[in-house]
Amino acid sequence: MGQILQMNVGFLGLQFSFGLQQSSMGPIYSYLGADEASLPLLSLAGPVTGLLVQPIVGAMSDRTASRWGRRTPYFLIGAILCSLSLFAMPYSSALWMAASLLWILDAANNITMEPYRAYVGDRLPKDQHPAGYIIQSAFTGLAQTLAYLSPALLVWLGMSKDAVGGNHIPQFIFWSFMFGALISVTTIFWSIWRVPELPLTPEQLTRIQAQKQGFGATLREIWDAIKEMPVPMRQMAWMKLFQWMAMGWYWQYVTYAISRSLFGTSDAGSEGFRDAVLINSQVGAFFNVVSFITALFMVRYTQRFGAAKVHAFCLVMSGLGMLLLPHLTAEVVAAWWPASMASLMPKLASEYWLFLPAVGVGLGWASIMGNPYVMLARSVPPERTGVYMGIFNMFIVIPLMLGGFIVSQLYNRVFAGDPRYVLMTAGVLMLLAALATLRVKVPEGDVPAMAPAGAGH
């Protein structure tokens, strides 16, 4: 267990970067002059780079036999680029600069992400896959807790919430990105140092050397893997479509929904909007604490009841949380909360009630970052783990891209320019994802090795 924990420390740094994107990129765009309807399009960097980078890097890492290992070279390249992008982001002076840096940052994260997933599959026997991937989920929760909470922590430590730079970006966001730049690279290096990759066996080395190399061969391997995709993996496509569209909408619009519900404002330059950013940092930190804690306990339930059933339950709880959150306005909470208690504890009559739906969102996030990978690892042949992990990421980025395009087109016409309606629709999508999960049939025994791409079946 000590090795499993240390090999996943690097995932903490990687997910800290993602947490900063989820909590702060929307406000950064708004500080630089973006309108709310354009936020999903400005956030397409992650889905597009993931769609292009992860399958290619996955197939390449499956075929890599360097002196440093199969996955390690990609860890190092991605970690260094990620840290440099995080360092530069709060210096953005225009919308195009922030958007360009996000493209580089997401490409770097994706270079690291897929080989990291495959590394866990390489390093652990199948009976330890649930522990490996759920611990990875726990580190996701811990990292994103720190990422979400860092702005509020800085304000609690004495930094003024109204202190902004010349580009209107608050200082609490500036220093959060500086810390992210440091933690991203150091944690990756720690995991590589403490738990290096296993050396390739003679059989693995012979198989890699026998494969055709080059970019064209890599693309053919991806295409062959898609054609030969195991049935359970195909069945997970609908589940992934609904759950990732919902998560994308939640990340993009939760701050704006809180700003409307509690402060009645959509002005990014207002004090109320800055308060909403800080409140979302606390709520986001809380749901990631929930994610971290529940992920630690989720291993036993996944082993007992199966990953699919546990995942469906967690998605239902997440959907209910997203449906509830937009309704927690100051007026509604005041009706529930006795006036005598509100005078004693006024905070509980407003933003702290948002922690209730955050419990459901945290349960769903813990499962999303763990259980689908348990299901996948049991469904694909081990010699093609890298390419299938990369293809599986397409089941994330395509829904994020599709969802971003849909909400940008419907935001003013269907959702009436109100982010609260977007969050409620995301809750419905989570419930549909839970139903789709129950259709997935995960094999119980070991998965047989597949024939090499291009060979007879």
Side-chain angles (χ1 to χ4, degrees):
M1 183 56 68
Q3 282 187 301
I4 293 175
L5 289 170
Q6 290 193 80
M7 72 189 294
N8 281 308
V9 165
F11 214 72
L12 183 143
L14 179 65
Q15 290 298 327
F16 192 97
S17 172
F18 277 116
L20 286 176
Q21 292 179 54
Q22 294 163 14
S23 62
S24 299
M25 280 311 303
I28 285 176
Y29 283 147
S30 292
Y31 295 135
L32 295 174
D35 65 89
E36 292 179 10
S38 67
L39 293 176
L41 298 179
L42 289 169
S43 301
L44 283 178
V48 173
T49 55
L51 180 66
L52 298 175
V53 171
Q54 284 213 25
I56 293 173
V57 170
M60 289 174 63
S61 69
D62 279 345
R63 296 163 175 261
T64 298
S66 73
R67 57 181 294 188
W68 299 284
R70 302 168 76 186
R71 320 296 182 184
T72 300
Y74 304 96
F75 295 168
L76 296 176
I77 293 170
I80 293 170
L81 286 174
C82 175
S83 291
L84 292 174
S85 300
L86 287 172
F87 180 83
M89 182 64 75
Y91 288 101
S92 298
S93 57
L95 201 56
W96 68 265
M97 184 176 176
S100 299
L101 284 170
L102 183 61
W103 280 85
I104 299 172
L105 175 60
D106 268 306
N109 281 333
N110 281 296
I111 288 170
T112 305
M113 171 73 79
E114 189 286 326
Y116 217 116
R117 296 287 194 189
Y119 160 64
V120 173
D122 295 342
R123 202 67 168 76
L124 299 177
K126 283 191 177 293
D127 63 343
Q128 289 188 335
H129 280 173
Y133 287 114
I134 297 299
I135 292 297
Q136 204 171 80
S137 174
F139 272 106
T140 298
L142 177 61
Q144 296 194 2
T145 297
L146 296 173
Y148 272 89
L149 197 56
S150 55
L153 283 173
L154 291 170
V155 172
W156 291 339
L157 291 173
M159 184 175 291
S160 172
K161 69 178 182 180
D162 297 319
V164 299
N167 55 3
H168 308 293
I169 295 176
Q171 290 296 295
F172 59 74
I173 288 182
F174 177 93
W175 286 107
S176 296
F177 273 77
M178 294 300 105
F179 180 65
L182 175 64
I183 195 174
S184 291
V185 71
T186 54
T187 54
I188 292 288
F189 274 84
W190 176 271
S191 287
I192 293 171
W193 173 49
R194 298 297 298 172
V195 191
E197 291 187 69
L198 293 173
L200 293 171
T201 65
E203 294 79 10
Q204 289 174 320
L205 191 58
T206 300
R207 181 177 58 81
I208 291 173
Q209 291 173 342
Q211 292 178 317
K212 292 182 179 180
Q213 301 298 320
F215 188 69
T218 299
L219 294 180
R220 284 193 296 274
E221 166 65 9
I222 295 171
W223 178 245
D224 288 336
I226 291 173
K227 291 192 296 182
E228 298 164 2
M229 189 183 302
V231 172
M233 187 174 172
R234 294 179 185 273
Q235 293 172 335
M236 283 188 269
W238 286 106
M239 170 194 83
K240 301 277 279 187
L241 173 67
F242 294 132
Q243 75 184 24
W244 281 103
M245 280 183 64
M247 288 307 305
W249 291 4
Y250 177 86
W251 289 327
Q252 288 160 3
Y253 287 107
V254 63
T255 298
Y256 300 87
I258 293 172
S259 182
R260 295 288 208 292
S261 296
L262 295 185
F263 304 104
T265 182
S266 59
D267 180 7
S270 66
E271 180 182 358
F273 186 80
R274 286 193 295 275
D275 285 336
V277 172
L278 289 171
I279 290 169
N280 183 52
S281 77
Q282 297 171 47
V283 172
F286 179 75
F287 92 65
N288 278 290
V289 167
V290 172
S291 175
F292 171 67
I293 294 173
T294 55
L296 296 176
F297 291 98
M298 200 175 290
V299 176
R300 69 176 67 179
Y301 294 105
T302 294
Q303 291 173 332
R304 180 177 178 183
F305 298 108
K309 290 181 180 178
V310 173
H311 189 51
F313 170 78
C314 293
L315 291 180
V316 168
M317 298 303 294
S318 180
L320 295 177
M322 292 182 184
L323 284 167
L324 175 61
L325 188 147
H327 295 288
L328 294 178
T329 63
E331 293 78 14
V332 169
V333 172
W336 293 353
W337 195 242
S340 58
M341 294 297 292
S343 62
L344 293 174
M345 292 178 285
K347 286 287 187 183
L348 290 178
S350 55
E351 61 260 32
Y352 286 0
W353 275 91
L354 296 174
F355 291 171
L356 179 61
V359 173
V361 178
L363 282 170
W365 185 232
S367 188
I368 285 171
M369 294 305 293
N371 279 314
Y373 297 94
V374 176
M375 297 159 69
L376 178 68
R378 295 198 61 83
S379 304
V380 301
E383 69 271 17
R384 299 175 88 175
T385 300
V387 67
Y388 275 122
M389 285 291 179
I391 293 171
F392 200 52
N393 186 65
M394 295 169 66
F395 292 2
I396 299 174
V397 298
I398 291 175
L400 289 173
M401 291 169 60
L402 181 62
F405 176 76
I406 290 173
V407 76
S408 68
Q409 299 302 308
L410 302 183
Y411 189 72
N412 291 317
R413 290 181 290 177
V414 174
F415 297 122
D418 194 328
R420 292 170 289 187
Y421 294 133
V422 179
L423 255 63
M424 288 186 283
T425 308
V428 174
L429 291 176
M430 275 294 188
L431 299 179
L432 293 175
L435 291 175
T437 302
L438 297 176
R439 296 181 60 250
V440 181
K441 305 300 180 185
V442 181
E444 296 297 328
D446 289 339
V447 180
M450 297 180 73
H457 298 281

